[in-house]
Amino acid sequence: MTVQIDHALEEIRRFRPSPEFAAQAIADERLYDAASADRLGFWADQARDLLTWQKPFTEVLDWSNPPFARWFADGELNVAVNCLDRHVEAGLGDRVAIYWEGEPGDSRAITYAELTEEVKRAANALTDLGIRTGDRVAIYLPMIPEAVVSMLAVARIGAIHSVVFGGFSADSLASRIDDAEASLVITADGGYRKGRVFPLKPVVDEALAKAEGGTVKNVLVVKRGENDIAWNEGRDLWWHDTVTTASPEHEAQAFDAENPLFILYTSGTTGKPKGILHTSGGYLTQVAFTHKNVFDLHPERDVYWCTADVGWITGHSYVVYGPLANGATQVLYEGTPDTPHPGRWWELVEKYGVTILYTAPTAIRSFMKLGRSVVHNFNLRSLRLLGSVGEPINPEAWIWYRHVIGGGSIPVVDTWWQTETGAIMISALPGITDLKPGSAQVPVPGISVDILADDGTPVEGEDGGLLVITEPWPSMLRGIWGDPERFRETYWEKFGDKYFAGDGARRDEDGDIWLLGRVDDVMNVSGHRLSTAEIESSLVAHEITAEAAVVGASDETTGQAVVAFVILKERHAHDLDPSDASEELRRHVAMQIGAIARPRQVFIVNELPKTRSGKIMRRLLRDLAEGRQVGDTTTLADTAIMDIISAQVR
Ligand code: WT7
């Protein structure tokens, strides 16, 4: 993190929007004026303009019971109808909604009319399986069209989806199924990744054997990988027998604006992931608004591509709900960027004539490492806007993105937000804002943020502080599933009625905001959130571990990397080779949580640095992991300990 700040402080480049871009830009300076004149009126206008309500709302925000907000609460709408049927009714049925590309090279173009029909069939199938409004459906799928269909079908019948990223382990899936008390799991036999089929259904079987709640009645399975799977007669159903044969007629019911739409689990500061709850009307309003204005979406001519997996919030808001609510045409790609060759993404940009690309700094940095020759084999001239999300984008990567991918003159927008915020909160608006590499810049219209010191006083100027959101916003989380107290404690206790985001930030002399990384024990690896506590508890769950400490160390490609320090139990410390132990623990974490959590390094040590009260000083371990001079050790119970650990790590 420090490295990035150093660069950031030196960064002074600024890019005016080109007159050509500005002339056609969707966003309008007047949005800021309208929002600051009447914030609630502004959001009400957006909700009416961007969405179709079966019953119009009269009330905008109910904040009488903070921190539990209600937006547009007396209005009624159907989220899936807003993403599908209304476009077909408006005569856009033949527009391609999804250009899907499988990793092996198979592809499908799916129009709005076709997608609508498939979602109606799936909605009927879910209803036939007994799924009712408010029931939870877990979705554990690869990036195939059925993932989008499943989410929208659940939304269409007013049920709640909980998408679990396909890279998560059986344990992680089981705990999410249990926490949400899901009654149905939608999965696939397998999907393609790095040229191979990775199994999903077997992981679901294992998860259901582990899940203690026993809430799941059926497993709906898409055939994709053609891999061998076990079959549980009576519980398991094939998608092609169940959905494909269901009726394509489905009358959608309107639901309250505050009807829950989804739960999405994310890492917090404790070991247990939190189920972030989002609802319908406010969420859809803000994702549609930001998708349109931040990405300058001209749905009749743009081809948009967000590379995120639907297992993350970016996939929910900017693959499924935002783009489809806006009637966009988009690319959906199943596989990894480097299969079967390192230029695969750029080949897809050329093939589909992608105009808007939204991806993460970690991906950009891996392409930087490969060099521009990989990119230059393809014609990327269709691109006219680039977006970034997930972690601070260092100015070097920003400039490379703009020049090598974007040809040198197109806007790059860096968007700051979180699973909890549901939609983009801080970003430039292309065509309006002068762009500044490395800074997420300004709150989007209708959003108010501030930077506070620990005691709640505003921080002025260049000094860093804590980022807060000072007013409720339409797509804000409505709580943590089943745990209102944790919701209050995590986000609202620190500053009263202001939302504490968990990020450090500073404001420069132009009022632009620079994000400085997490201030809590949450790590950001390749734009994915991981909790130090969760990985530590996985490490100590292994029989050879006595104690473990995990830190996020800065990493050139992934932003941060997981680095663990482990003390082995006495009897294993002698008979185990440290490098074998370290390998075993890395494998164990990947198996328990998922491959994304696999530590880059596990150092086997004899001691951990602790304060007199027994608290592990992770700051010192981070210094070590990043190869820096170890900082102030005076508060350690035993000040010599860092020398011992350093010697063991080298
Ligand atoms: C955390 C949220 C939002 C979708 C992807 C991640 C970091 C996210 C940026 C950015 C600096 C960023 C923050 C935030 N983050 N975008 N543009 N600049 N930091 O969602 O998994 O909920 O993680 O990601 O630290 O708190 P998430």
Side-chain angles (χ1 to χ4, degrees):
M1 191 181 89
T2 22
V3 181
Q4 285 176 0
I5 300 171
D6 289 346
H7 286 307
L9 289 171
E10 290 161 19
E11 187 53 52
I12 44 156
R13 279 167 286 198
R14 220 161 290 181
F15 300 95
R16 274 263 132 81
S18 75
E20 302 78 57
F21 193 99
Q24 59 83 64
I26 293 278
D28 187 315
E29 191 81 53
R30 281 170 298 190
L31 290 171
Y32 291 108
D33 304 334
S36 56
D38 175 10
R39 205 178 77 87
L40 296 182
F42 166 82
W43 282 120
D45 287 345
Q46 299 308 324
R48 289 189 196 102
D49 289 354
L50 296 167
L51 306 183
T52 302
W53 296 80
Q54 261 121 305
K55 179 177 169 236
F57 57 86
T58 60
E59 188 186 350
V60 182
L61 168 67
D62 174 0
W63 190 235
S64 59
N65 179 30
F68 299 92
R70 293 166 59 78
W71 282 85
F72 316 122
D74 63 344
E76 290 178 6
L77 79 172
N78 185 290
V79 169
V81 166
N82 271 277
C83 293
L84 300 165
D85 310 46
R86 64 168 177 154
H87 303 316
V88 178
E89 282 153 24
L92 303 173
D94 291 337
R95 179 183 289 171
V96 171
I98 295 175
Y99 284 116
W100 176 73
E101 177 98 3
E103 195 184 76
D106 47 340
S107 63
R108 281 171 72 186
I110 305 168
T111 64
Y112 271 94
E114 290 164 343
L115 191 62
T116 305
E117 190 181 309
E118 183 79 355
V119 168
K120 288 180 175 180
R121 287 184 201 276
N124 282 322
L126 295 182
T127 305
D128 290 346
L129 290 174
I131 306 299
R132 298 288 174 263
T133 305
D135 288 351
R136 275 79 59 209
V137 175
I139 298 177
Y140 188 68
L141 281 170
M143 282 288 279
I144 54 178
E146 288 80 358
V148 179
V149 171
S150 299
M151 291 165 75
L152 290 169
V154 170
R156 191 175 185 92
I157 61 172
I160 307 172
H161 57 71
S162 162
V163 182
V164 180
F165 174 60
F168 276 118
S169 66
D171 282 314
S172 300
L173 177 59
S175 68
R176 284 158 175 77
I177 288 172
D178 274 341
D179 187 77
E181 301 178 279
S183 48
L184 173 71
V185 181
I186 308 181
T187 189
D189 47 359
Y192 287 88
R193 246 190 102 73
K194 294 190 189 290
R196 282 200 301 265
V197 171
F198 69 97
L200 286 165
K201 170 67 162 57
V203 181
V204 173
D205 291 338
E206 197 187 329
L208 292 181
K210 287 181 167 159
E212 284 156 8
T215 51
V216 172
K217 297 190 185 67
N218 291 107
V219 178
L220 187 54
V221 189
V222 180
K223 199 177 202 106
R224 168 65 186 150
E226 310 270 346
N227 45 316
D228 282 339
I229 55 172
W231 202 254
N232 187 327
E233 235 17 273
R235 185 196 72 181
D236 300 347
L237 301 155
W238 282 112
W239 178 280
H240 57 258
D241 291 337
T242 314
V243 175
T244 316
T245 57
S247 161
E249 306 297 328
H250 184 271
E251 187 89 40
Q253 192 190 325
F255 296 100
D256 289 350
E258 284 297 339
N259 197 53
L261 180 60
F262 65 85
I263 304 167
L264 184 59
Y265 288 84
T266 189
S267 300
T269 52
T270 69
K272 188 176 181 277
K274 336 176 243 207
I276 303 299
L277 176 69
H278 283 286
T279 61
S280 305
Y283 171 78
L284 202 61
T285 298
Q286 196 175 329
V287 296
F289 171 76
T290 49
H291 182 257
K292 178 178 166 190
N293 288 286
V294 173
F295 299 119
D296 191 51
L297 183 79
H298 294 262
E300 66 292 348
R301 60 174 157 93
D302 276 316
V303 178
Y304 164 87
W305 184 19
C306 167
T307 63
D309 191 285
V310 292
W312 309 109
I313 190 66
T314 310
H316 283 60
S317 302
Y318 298 105
V319 174
V320 181
Y321 293 109
L324 296 176
N326 289 334
T329 294
Q330 69 175 319
V331 172
L332 189 75
Y333 172 53
E334 179 187 32
T336 44
D338 53 357
T339 307
H341 60 81
R344 186 67 190 277
W345 272 16
W346 315 115
E347 180 183 62
L348 293 178
V349 168
E350 176 178 316
K351 175 173 175 186
Y352 293 108
V354 172
T355 58
I356 304 166
L357 180 69
Y358 190 30
T359 193
T362 180
I364 300 162
R365 288 193 300 265
S366 348
F367 285 114
M368 280 172 81
K369 257 211 231 152
L370 292 175
R372 47 181 80 200
S373 60
V374 170
V375 177
H376 282 169
N377 289 328
F378 301 97
N379 179 350
L380 307 184
R381 276 193 295 272
S382 56
L383 288 169
R384 60 176 203 88
L385 179 82
L386 301 172
S388 173
V389 62
E391 54 170 314
I393 176 165
N394 46 311
E396 290 81 353
W398 195 103
I399 296 286
W400 192 91
Y401 195 24
R402 174 162 161 120
H403 281 263
V404 180
I405 305 301
S409 61
I410 68 175
V412 175
V413 288
D414 174 15
T415 61
W416 178 89
W417 57 295
Q418 310 175 299
T419 305
E420 292 88 340
T421 70
I424 294 169
M425 302 293 279
I426 302 178
S427 171
L429 289 187
I432 295 183
T433 319
D434 286 355
L435 301 172
K436 206 184 271 181
S439 165
Q441 303 204 274
V442 287
V444 299
I447 297 301
S448 336
V449 309
D450 207 348
I451 297 171
L452 304 181
D454 216 41
D455 64 4
T457 55
V459 174
E460 296 303 334
E462 298 276 305
D463 290 342
L466 304 170
L467 182 69
V468 296
I469 303 166
T470 56
E471 301 286 347
W473 63 103
S475 64
M476 70 195 288
L477 75 165
R478 298 302 195 263
I480 294 177
W481 184 255
D483 202 344
E485 208 28 59
R486 190 174 179 195
F487 173 51
R488 220 186 285 273
E489 242 170 56
T490 311
Y491 307 103
W492 305 94
E493 207 159 76
K494 195 164 177 65
F495 296 120
D497 59 346
K498 297 182 183 78
Y499 171 88
F500 169 58
D503 278 35
R506 69 180 181 89
R507 219 187 246 124
D508 68 16
E509 66 282 5
D510 303 320
D512 284 319
I513 295 167
W514 298 74
L515 278 306
L516 304 175
R518 300 287 305 192
V519 296
D520 51 17
D521 292 328
V522 170
M523 297 172 287
N524 188 323
V525 178
S526 298
H528 298 142
R529 245 159 95 169
L530 295 170
S531 136
T532 52
E534 192 180 359
I535 299 179
E536 283 168 3
S537 63
S538 167
L539 286 166
V540 296
H542 195 289
E543 53 162 6
I544 64 173
T545 307
E547 243 187 299
V550 165
V551 298
S554 61
D555 182 282
E556 240 187 72
T557 308
T558 58
Q560 284 189 315
V562 179
V563 177
F565 296 82
V566 170
I567 303 178
L568 298 181
K569 282 185 188 149
E570 195 58 37
R571 64 202 139 89
H572 296 291
H574 302 296
D575 54 55
L576 269 179
D577 178 60
S579 68
D580 291 344
S582 144
E583 224 8 79
E584 165 61 17
L585 290 171
R586 290 180 66 235
R587 195 194 55 78
H588 165 78
V589 172
M591 209 182 63
Q592 267 220 322
I593 303 175
I596 39 164
R598 187 200 317 269
R600 183 183 73 187
Q601 289 152 307
V602 174
F603 293 114
I604 307 296
V605 294
N606 291 336
E607 307 277 356
L608 288 172
K610 289 186 184 159
T611 60
R612 274 167 216 100
S613 60
K615 198 169 162 348
I616 295 175
M617 291 189 72
R618 289 197 179 71
R619 170 172 66 76
L620 300 177
L621 293 174
R622 200 173 306 125
D623 288 342
L624 214 58
E626 294 178 351
R628 250 197 321 275
Q629 179 85 15
V630 171
D632 184 7
T633 56
T634 48
T635 52
L636 281 180
D638 175 355
T639 48
I641 261 179
M642 282 315 290
D643 295 334
I644 301 174
I645 302 175
S646 307
Q648 289 182 317
V649 164
R650 295 256 143 71

